[in-house]
Amino acid sequence: MNIQATTVQNFQATLLPSATGLPTSTGTIPAALQPLLQTGNGAQQFFAQQNFAANLITDVNSGVLNWIADTDDNGNPMYFTAIQDGNGNSMYLEVTTSQAPASQPYTAPDGQSYDVIGSFHATLSWNDDTMWDVNVPLGITSGLGALLLEYYAWSSFIKPVLEGVLSGIKSLCSAASDCVSAGDVAAASTAAESSSEVVGESIGEGATISMTAGACCFAGAALLIALPFILSAIEHPTGQSVKVYNLTPYTLTWQAPYTDDCSMTQFPVLSDGSNNPDYTIAAPSVITPPGGQSVTTYHEGDFAFQSTSNLKGISWAMQFAFTDDQNNTQGTAAVMFDLPLLKANSLAGEWTSGELSANELQEWAETNYGILSETQFATSDTNGLVMTLTYNALSGQQPLPSDPDEEGYVYASAIVFQLTS
């Protein structure tokens, strides 16, 4: 069959909904999170990587760093950019492609049918450890995917489409520093989808390819790029960003905290632009976009606390409960963080026999102020649940993620829950 004998002259492509997460085997701890569970300066290393990601995006946006065109081990076109610290560590942001073994059918929510012929991967890596992976499938109008794969080399038509995806990523980079809320991330994703459009690019033999972006195809990439800036939105006089990771097989439910001389300025919400708290952090799950690579997603909740007085530090406590698929409680826990002025930060964690009343939680927190000034503390319950609490530093001013040349009394912490047996 001669391709010229067909009536097909233009192939319409689209980017389909993405899958986002940390690529790892089910039941294992992602390499990106392992520093949090190590003794010593693990938390400091982890949050330094988060800040370094913000530096990379800032330098890409300002033109200090350029995107470099290259090919991967299979000869597929790709783009990458990288930044290195003074100790030889490197952070990479890469956009690569992979071809599906055969086109696969997919029906979009609007009823349009596509043949999925491959996917794009946006990955953020620290040395050899992938910190985040976004997988975006590529679809061709139904009935044309096999035809395209049969008569055209993958590299001939993927290059203009890849450049379109790169335009979307560049749009996200330029918008990242303005993102201080989930609504801002959603707006950046929408702008990236518009920027990624490809119109009538020649792919050889008189045929062309055009590409549009479907809703939410850049949502994962937007979160990847904007998250370090969201977490740096708090600055003076005293602030703390907190990441809660649920690595257990149970649903985690958090409660409104007890706060002392501070307010909770960021927390998980039910939807973009909403101010209604989402009190659950789901168990890990494996998601597979149509025709794409499966990604294990470890869910997290991002919180921030800021002082309400220039003369005092901040303190807060929060409770968590874990329930299985039958809604049976598998464990309850309480945590406390105290960041006073002129004294070292402290923390505490305890597995409780049940929910504490508001007065009991406050009394428990105040009893533990200043007792344990450590950058890491871990404790387990009788069912094998383990919580690890961390600080990136215990005192002094720290570089601001939004501007590493400036310093402030801003600290970062992580709370990691896992099941060891």
Side-chain angles (χ1 to χ4, degrees):
M1 177 180 177
N2 189 319
I3 189 66
Q4 297 294 341
T6 73
T7 59
V8 177
Q9 295 294 321
N10 182 279
F11 293 91
Q12 181 60 51
T14 190
L15 298 177
L16 302 174
S18 63
T20 305
L22 291 169
T24 188
S25 302
T26 302
T28 62
I29 304 300
L33 300 185
Q34 289 177 6
L36 290 173
L37 305 177
Q38 298 170 356
T39 58
N41 64 347
Q44 186 178 40
Q45 174 187 338
F46 176 83
F47 286 105
Q49 293 172 8
Q50 298 281 320
N51 296 347
F52 210 53
N55 297 342
L56 182 148
I57 301 307
T58 298
D59 286 349
V60 167
N61 183 39
S62 65
V64 174
L65 293 176
N66 294 318
W67 287 94
I68 300 171
D70 201 352
T71 55
D72 64 17
D73 293 340
N74 297 315
N76 297 320
M78 63 172 289
Y79 285 94
F80 76 93
T81 187
I83 189 172
Q84 194 171 59
D85 68 9
N87 298 316
N89 297 303
S90 297
M91 179 164 284
Y92 300 90
L93 180 58
E94 299 177 323
V95 184
T96 60
T97 66
S98 63
Q99 181 180 354
S103 61
Q104 303 178 42
Y106 171 73
T107 302
D110 62 1
Q112 177 66 51
S113 296
Y114 298 97
D115 296 330
V116 178
I117 62 172
S119 59
F120 295 92
H121 305 272
T123 56
L124 184 67
S125 304
W126 175 261
N127 295 330
D128 295 327
D129 295 335
T130 300
M131 297 176 63
W132 207 287
D133 178 276
V134 181
N135 182 275
V136 185
L138 173 67
I140 302 293
T141 303
S142 182
L144 301 181
L147 189 67
L148 184 63
L149 291 174
E150 181 179 358
Y151 288 99
Y152 296 95
W154 171 260
S155 59
S156 68
F157 66 86
I158 204 63
K159 186 173 183 180
V161 176
L162 175 61
E163 290 175 348
V165 173
L166 182 64
S167 295
I169 298 293
K170 288 180 179 178
S171 174
L172 292 175
C173 289
S174 65
S177 59
D178 295 326
C179 290
V180 295
S181 70
D184 293 333
V185 175
S189 176
T190 301
E193 290 163 5
S194 300
S195 299
S196 66
E197 182 178 1
V198 173
V199 181
E201 290 288 334
S202 174
I203 59 173
E205 297 191 40
T208 60
I209 190 166
S210 301
M211 184 185 72
T212 59
C216 301
C217 75
F218 276 109
L223 188 61
L224 176 158
I225 290 172
L227 188 58
F229 295 90
I230 295 176
L231 295 180
S232 68
I234 58 171
E235 293 188 359
H236 294 291
T238 303
Q240 181 189 22
S241 62
V242 183
K243 300 173 75 68
V244 178
Y245 289 99
N246 181 16
L247 309 186
T248 78
Y250 309 123
T251 297
L252 180 159
T253 303
W254 58 276
Q255 294 186 8
Y258 156 71
T259 58
D260 186 3
D261 294 316
C262 67
S263 60
M264 185 169 64
T265 56
Q266 182 183 330
F267 46 86
V269 294
L270 290 172
S271 60
D272 291 342
S274 167
N275 201 40
N276 296 318
D278 182 355
Y279 288 104
T280 62
I281 302 175
S285 59
V286 178
I287 54 177
T288 305
Q293 173 186 342
S294 296
V295 176
T296 300
T297 300
Y298 285 85
H299 300 281
E300 67 180 77
D302 295 307
F303 300 80
F305 296 86
Q306 190 165 9
S307 61
T308 54
S309 169
N310 292 333
L311 303 177
K312 297 181 180 180
I314 65 176
S315 302
W316 60 274
M318 185 182 292
Q319 295 189 82
F320 302 90
F322 297 83
T323 53
D324 60 21
D325 293 339
Q326 286 73 47
N327 204 34
N328 297 315
T329 300
Q330 298 297 319
T332 55
V335 303
M336 181 282 299
F337 289 85
D338 181 37
L339 297 81
L341 292 181
L342 307 178
K343 294 183 180 179
N345 300 337
S346 63
L347 47 73
E350 182 178 319
W351 293 99
T352 60
S353 58
E355 179 183 341
L356 303 178
S357 68
N359 289 336
E360 289 172 335
L361 180 64
Q362 178 178 349
E363 181 179 353
W364 174 81
E366 292 174 346
T367 300
N368 283 281
Y369 286 173
I371 300 298
L372 184 63
S373 292
E374 301 287 347
T375 55
Q376 185 191 76
F377 169 74
T379 182
S380 60
D381 74 350
T382 56
N383 294 325
L385 284 169
V386 179
M387 64 172 156
T388 303
L389 315 180
T390 70
Y391 277 117
N392 67 326
L394 293 177
S395 62
Q397 297 191 55
Q398 308 301 314
L400 300 180
S402 56
D403 187 353
D405 294 329
E406 297 290 334
E407 293 186 336
Y409 292 100
V410 180
Y411 301 92
S413 293
I415 304 172
V416 182
F417 293 102
Q418 58 181 319
L419 183 65
T420 59
S421 62

